[in-house]
Amino acid sequence: MTYHDVPVRFDEARPAAFTLAREVAAEGFDVLLVRDVLGRFSLLVDDAAREAASSEQADNWMDLTDARLGRYRGERPLVLTSVTRLPRTLTAAPHAMDVEAATATMGSVRFLDNTVVGEDWSRVSAPSSDDGNGTRRTALYGFKGGVGRTTAASVLARALADEGKIVLVVDLDLESPGVGPLLLGSGTLCQHGVVDHLVESALGNAEGLEIVARSGYSPSRQGELWIAPARGAGTEGVPNGYVDKLNRVYADAEGARFADRLAATVRACEEAVERSDSGRRPDVVLLDSRAGIHDVAAVTISHLCDYALLFGADNAQTWAGYGDLFEAWAASGQAAAIRQKLRMVASMVPDSAHYSQDVHLKSFRAEAFKTFSVLYESLAPGEISGAANEAWVLEDDAAPHSPIPILFEPGLVGMNVPDSPDWQERAFVQAAYRDFLGTAIPLIMADPATGAPAESEEVSP
């Protein structure tokens, strides 16, 4: 039978390839399983360091790739290092995921996934800003758009500034920028934006860009509010070319992947605040991420933030989307690393005589708990709350699935911000976001290492 006769689909190929790789490793060989951008698998078997694989073994492995992988066998489905010399950059690829550890009698299995987009979802790391400067980075993300994420970011930013914090909001929703108008107030938009820095830095041409602006909002305490917009004001008389720039920001520049370039841009925004008349790095950076399974969101959540607030409405689209994302984290072995960063936000919660807030949040909690189960099952009981013998339970208010509510407020729908400069002071807005702010701010300001609340500074009124 040839692989053309085997009806294997994408979803079936991965577990079949992993099983085959483990079987080869059980014969004493280290295996690197490689998936190409079309989803096809190749087995790289390291048999050069010991007795080479026999021709019978190699023939059997080749037959198994045909029988089990079908059209998802690679163009070179089996490569033996005793026959083909491979560069160490491939055989020891740092981005490969460890699947099976080597033992005295069994080889190891590692997995290297080559993708066009989204590979950073499976590479969770500490924030690149983690250099002891005290800055807290928080991502605001929604799988679907239209859940009030950007409005919540602006409300949260002003509340933190009112507590005396130096706050920077970075608009990473590059395809649909919008946080700037919500926060700028009477301030003046800077000439350049995040997209300008991404484009210019790829050519080493970012020096001198004006990429942050101080908001015109005056906090009630000695805080400050800064904005790094996706799109700057541009130069008068010169076309902005925003779409042309956007078409180029995601490319990997020479010697720098997109993830590294985006991290460098966020750091540049923070440093711009420090170089300003503020003279201090931000205490808090809010990253308003793009929705969906997108590279910006992948980098923002997986690498750039200490904490991620996940926005969603209680509907099938929300849970299917987050379910796919959590499944990818669990499959790539990232459950333990990523769950420490996550907390659900129940947005647009209704509160009426016909459908109460309590009823809605009960349903939301149940669906969130079910969706998070794929991450919880990968961890030991008690890890979420830190209690050694406490298992995860539906009603655990400290768990990632426990929803932080934002009430639905019709007055915010279609509001023209420039015509409503005091919109955040209105009673209905404060009521809608009261519980959100009361829960989110302590989480954001907690010590990332211990979860303990950060010590507050004495700020003069």
Side-chain angles (χ1 to χ4, degrees):
M1 177 181 293
T2 68
Y3 72 91
H4 295 289
D5 302 320
V6 181
V8 177
R9 302 299 182 192
F10 185 95
D11 292 342
E12 302 161 335
R14 176 175 171 137
F18 273 57
T19 298
L20 178 55
R22 289 189 174 98
E23 291 175 0
V24 174
E27 298 184 45
F29 300 99
D30 292 334
V31 179
L32 177 63
L33 184 64
V34 180
R35 180 161 62 174
D36 68 16
V37 295
L38 297 179
R40 301 174 300 187
F41 289 89
S42 298
L43 277 74
L44 278 62
V45 181
D46 186 1
D47 67 336
R50 60 183 74 191
E51 184 177 349
S54 67
S55 59
E56 289 81 7
Q57 284 176 307
D59 289 343
N60 180 53
W61 297 336
M62 184 67 81
D63 289 343
L64 290 174
T65 63
D66 280 349
R68 297 185 187 178
L69 300 181
R71 293 183 183 273
Y72 284 94
R73 69 195 286 274
E75 291 184 342
R76 296 182 66 188
L78 178 66
V79 177
L80 305 178
T81 59
S82 62
V83 176
T84 304
R85 183 180 296 274
L86 298 172
R88 181 165 177 76
T89 53
L90 178 59
T91 57
H95 297 310
M97 180 183 78
D98 293 326
V99 176
E100 203 79 48
T103 65
T105 59
M106 177 176 173
S108 64
V109 177
R110 304 176 73 223
F111 175 49
L112 181 61
D113 200 7
N114 295 289
T115 63
V116 177
V117 297
E119 64 180 13
D120 286 289
W121 286 114
S122 61
R123 298 176 183 171
V124 180
S125 65
S128 56
S129 66
D130 190 11
D131 56 7
N133 60 35
T135 298
R136 303 280 194 270
R137 286 185 186 165
T138 296
L140 293 91
Y141 169 78
F143 181 81
K144 292 288 290 181
V147 291
R149 181 198 72 242
T150 297
T151 305
S154 66
V155 172
L156 180 58
R158 286 179 53 160
L160 285 162
D162 283 337
E163 292 200 357
K165 305 301 181 185
I166 309 297
V167 183
L168 168 65
V169 181
V170 184
D171 190 352
L172 297 181
D173 193 353
L174 307 183
E175 276 77 6
S176 184
V179 74
L182 286 174
L183 286 172
L184 190 61
S186 61
T188 302
L189 190 63
C190 47
Q191 183 178 3
H192 307 106
V194 170
V195 165
D196 292 288
H197 192 277
L198 285 167
V199 170
E200 300 290 355
S201 63
L203 301 177
N205 198 40
E207 186 175 354
L209 292 179
E210 181 187 309
I211 53 176
V212 297
R214 187 194 286 267
S215 170
Y217 174 66
S218 298
S220 57
R221 301 175 74 184
Q222 292 179 355
E224 298 176 13
L225 181 51
W226 292 81
I227 307 158
R231 182 190 190 280
T235 303
E236 187 176 355
V238 179
N240 189 282
Y242 189 78
V243 173
D244 290 338
K245 296 172 191 173
L246 196 59
N247 288 337
R248 288 157 176 81
V249 298
Y250 300 112
D252 289 341
E254 183 176 354
R257 297 168 50 246
F258 170 69
D260 300 325
R261 293 172 54 226
L262 187 60
T265 293
V266 172
R267 286 196 302 273
C269 293
E270 295 168 350
E271 291 163 1
V273 172
E274 187 175 21
R275 288 195 306 271
S276 71
D277 56 0
S278 172
R280 290 172 50 192
R281 288 184 72 94
D283 299 306
V284 180
V285 177
L286 301 181
L287 306 172
D288 188 28
S289 174
R290 179 177 173 174
I293 300 179
H294 188 274
D295 278 6
V296 166
V299 176
T300 302
I301 296 175
S302 297
H303 306 308
L304 298 185
C305 72
D306 300 291
Y307 212 79
L309 299 172
L310 308 183
F311 287 67
D314 186 19
N315 56 44
Q317 289 178 310
T318 293
W319 304 123
Y322 279 121
D324 289 339
L325 183 53
F326 293 175
E327 184 179 282
W329 275 324
S332 59
Q334 301 299 307
I338 195 63
R339 76 96 194 138
Q340 301 176 43
K341 296 185 173 189
L342 307 179
R343 184 66 182 267
M344 289 301 306
V345 175
S347 59
M348 300 186 296
V349 175
D351 193 18
S352 67
H354 301 291
Y355 192 56
S356 72
Q357 176 183 350
D358 290 342
V359 171
H360 182 91
L361 290 177
K362 182 177 181 179
S363 172
F364 190 104
R365 180 186 290 268
E367 291 297 330
F369 183 73
K370 186 189 307 180
T371 306
F372 266 92
S373 64
V374 69
L375 294 180
Y376 292 171
E377 289 167 359
S378 304
L379 306 170
E383 185 173 350
I384 286 179
S385 62
N389 299 314
E390 184 180 353
W392 296 295
V393 294
L394 177 65
E395 299 302 328
D396 186 349
D397 290 333
H401 68 266
S402 180
I404 306 173
I406 298 175
L407 299 185
F408 173 70
E409 176 45 59
L412 290 172
V413 178
M415 181 182 62
N416 187 356
V417 171
D419 293 339
S420 307
D422 62 342
W423 67 276
Q424 293 202 38
E425 279 75 42
R426 297 185 180 184
F428 67 79
V429 175
Q430 295 181 10
Y433 288 92
R434 182 184 59 246
D435 291 343
F436 170 71
L437 296 175
T439 305
I441 290 177
L443 290 174
I444 289 171
M445 298 311 300
D447 186 322
T450 66
E455 294 184 7
S456 60
E457 299 179 3
E458 290 295 328
V459 181
S460 300

